[in-house]
């Protein structure tokens, strides 16, 4: 079958020939348009609006296992062409090639963003598939000076934090149940609310002697407004992601054994020296107020 390719950007036209069965098996987009009735094949006129060089690459890929191409080199993905091939192959429903392109993007993203390719044409579905291959540390390490793609990846990472069904390799907890306590003003989830203390006095003890912290949901707090305010404050989706990640994940301190949110990593209450309580004649404002000599923090 003859495929007419129109390249408006370069004002070029070129015809490509490909066997019908091979065409519909590799480019499944055409399957619904090419009738199984052989008598109607001649009635079908295929015109594709695409970069001529990209479509030439795709045809070589389609014919990669045919006898006529056994001596031809397999077309290769490169940083400068992979995005165009990814977009075209998804449109033409070339599933195996789409997967190859996505894997290539994951392994070569630094080189790809350094080329003049347009990353804005990558749709949400492809962006999600690419983002899922990256760990958040890999996204953080991307060298993307013009921020052509890194912020998009972090936005997808933020979406994944709010997806209760997604098994996130970067985060043991998710933000699907995020809320603010109207008493202590801390941001909590169902997982962290039982580990993080509220204001003094808002605790219970269960039948096993375990402390249960009590928080009250602030019904006026809106997560969308919170995310928007975070971006206004931090000016970067990268920083928004890490702030959010630190808010929903927790650790246990090896010194004081208290559970704490990761955003409070430097707020440990452990003191290397014991508190000193001065005498009545000291410079402290009131008797009974002590001080930690290691950091000069006052304590009752």
């Amino acid at each position: 079958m003859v495929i007419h390719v129109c390249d408006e950007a370069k004002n070029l036209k070129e015809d490509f020939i490909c066997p019908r069965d091979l065409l519909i098996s590799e480019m499944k987009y055409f399957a619904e348009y090419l009738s199984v009735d052989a008598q109607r094949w001649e009635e079908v006129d295929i015109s594709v609006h695409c970069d001529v060089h990209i479509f030439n690459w795709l045809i070589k890929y389609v014919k990669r296992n045919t006898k006529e191409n056994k001596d031809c080199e397999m077309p290769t993905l490169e940083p400068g062409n992979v995005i165009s091939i990814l977009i075209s192959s998804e449109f033409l429903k070339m599933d195996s090639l789409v997967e190859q392109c996505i894997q290539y993007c994951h392994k070569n993203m630094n080189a790809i963003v350094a080329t003049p390719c347009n990353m804005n044409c990558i749709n949400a579905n492809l962006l999600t598939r690419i983002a899922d291959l990256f760990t958040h540390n890999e996204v953080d390490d991307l060298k993307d000076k013009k921020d052509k793609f890194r912020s998009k990846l972090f936005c997808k990472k933020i979406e994944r934090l709010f997806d209760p069904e997604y098994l996130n390799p970067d985060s043991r907890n998710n933000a699907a149940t995020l809320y603010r306590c109207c008493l202590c003003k801390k941001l909590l989830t169902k997982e962290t609310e039982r580990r993080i203390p509220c204001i003094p006095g808002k605790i219970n003890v269960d039948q096993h002697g375990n402390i249960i912290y009590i928080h009250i949901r602030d019904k006026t707090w809106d997560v969308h407004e919170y995310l928007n305010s975070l971006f206004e404050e931090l000016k970067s989706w990268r920083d928004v992601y890490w702030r959010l990640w630190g808010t929903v994940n927790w650790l246990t301190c090896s010194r004081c054994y208290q559970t704490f949110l990761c955003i409070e990593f430097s707020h440990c209450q452990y003191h290397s020296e014991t508190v000193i309580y001065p005498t009545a004649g000291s410079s402290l404002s009131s008797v009974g107020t002590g001080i930690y000599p290691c950091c000069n923090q006052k304590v009752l």
Side-chain angles (χ1 to χ4, degrees):
M1 300 200 72
V2 179
I3 305 157
H4 310 290
V5 176
C6 304
D7 186 343
E8 288 93 346
K10 298 174 183 174
N11 196 25
L12 294 174
K13 291 184 179 181
E14 190 170 337
D15 291 343
F16 295 87
I17 298 175
C18 182
R20 173 190 169 278
D21 291 342
L22 183 61
L23 185 66
I24 62 176
S25 66
E26 291 285 345
M27 296 181 172
K28 295 181 176 61
Y29 171 82
F30 294 116
E32 58 185 293
Y33 299 103
L34 296 177
S35 170
V36 293
D37 184 357
Q39 293 180 347
R40 296 186 58 191
W41 293 355
E42 295 181 0
E43 301 174 13
V44 178
D45 184 72
I46 302 177
S47 294
V48 177
H49 295 266
C50 178
D51 183 291
V52 166
H53 299 300
I54 294 299
F55 198 82
N56 182 50
W57 192 103
L58 293 172
I59 286 295
K60 287 182 179 179
Y61 177 85
V62 166
K63 296 180 177 180
R64 65 193 181 282
N65 295 322
T66 59
K67 292 181 180 179
E68 62 182 278
N69 276 47
K70 64 179 180 180
D71 296 327
C72 298
E73 289 186 12
M74 173 81 168
T76 57
L77 293 172
E78 299 172 2
N81 68 13
V82 66
I83 299 301
S84 296
I85 292 170
L86 173 62
I87 303 305
S88 299
S89 60
E90 193 213 22
F91 178 79
L92 295 169
K93 299 182 180 179
M94 303 172 69
D95 298 339
S96 62
L97 181 55
V98 170
E99 182 60 28
Q100 288 181 43
C101 290
I102 289 173
Q103 294 291 339
Y104 184 91
C105 286
H106 174 228
K107 295 176 182 177
N108 301 276
M109 188 55 73
N110 281 330
I112 293 170
V113 295
T115 69
C117 63
N118 181 10
M119 309 293 283
N120 293 323
C121 55
I122 298 176
N123 63 37
N125 174 54
L126 292 176
L127 179 55
T128 299
R129 291 177 63 180
I130 294 171
D132 284 348
L133 293 179
F134 282 86
T135 66
H136 55 195
N137 288 328
E138 287 176 334
V139 179
D140 211 34
D141 291 338
L142 277 181
K143 296 177 176 61
D144 188 3
K145 291 182 179 180
K146 295 182 179 179
D147 195 21
K148 295 169 69 175
F149 205 58
R150 195 167 75 147
S151 285
K152 296 179 189 293
L153 291 174
F154 271 119
C155 284
K156 280 297 173 184
K157 291 295 183 185
I158 292 171
E159 286 183 22
R160 284 305 200 189
L161 280 179
F162 283 95
D163 186 349
E165 305 298 326
Y166 180 63
L167 296 177
N168 197 330
D170 293 322
S171 178
R172 62 176 171 178
N173 195 18
N174 66 65
T177 58
L178 189 67
Y179 72 94
R180 185 174 70 180
C181 174
C182 62
L183 299 177
C184 65
K185 305 301 181 183
K186 292 177 182 176
L187 297 182
L188 305 154
T189 66
K190 283 187 176 180
E191 287 295 320
T192 58
E193 66 182 0
R194 52 196 174 91
R195 294 177 168 87
I196 306 300
C198 191
I199 59 174
K202 298 299 291 184
I203 61 172
N204 279 339
V205 178
D206 67 14
Q207 59 184 350
H208 303 292
N210 299 313
I211 293 177
I212 301 174
Y213 298 110
I214 301 172
H215 295 275
I216 299 177
R217 184 183 295 269
D218 183 352
K219 294 182 179 179
T220 66
W221 185 81
D222 182 79
V223 67
H224 301 290
E225 292 179 3
Y226 168 68
L227 289 176
N228 288 332
S229 66
L230 265 189
F231 183 73
E232 288 181 12
E233 173 193 348
L234 302 174
K235 312 298 183 187
S236 159
W237 288 115
R238 169 192 178 272
D239 293 343
V240 170
Y241 171 81
W242 285 115
R243 176 73 66 85
L244 187 62
W245 184 92
T247 300
V248 301
N249 285 281
W250 71 92
L251 295 170
T252 301
C253 181
S254 61
R255 288 174 167 175
C256 66
Y257 304 107
Q258 292 290 313
T259 299
F260 64 95
L261 299 177
C262 291
I263 53 171
E264 300 173 344
F265 191 80
S266 60
H267 301 176
C268 180
Q269 298 177 8
Y270 171 82
H271 297 277
S272 58
E273 299 182 38
T274 56
V275 63
I276 296 176
Y277 291 97
T279 60
S282 72
S283 59
L284 287 175
S285 59
S286 61
V287 178
T289 301
I291 189 170
Y292 286 103
C294 54
C295 61
N296 294 322
Q297 179 181 325
K298 293 180 181 180
V299 63
L300 293 176

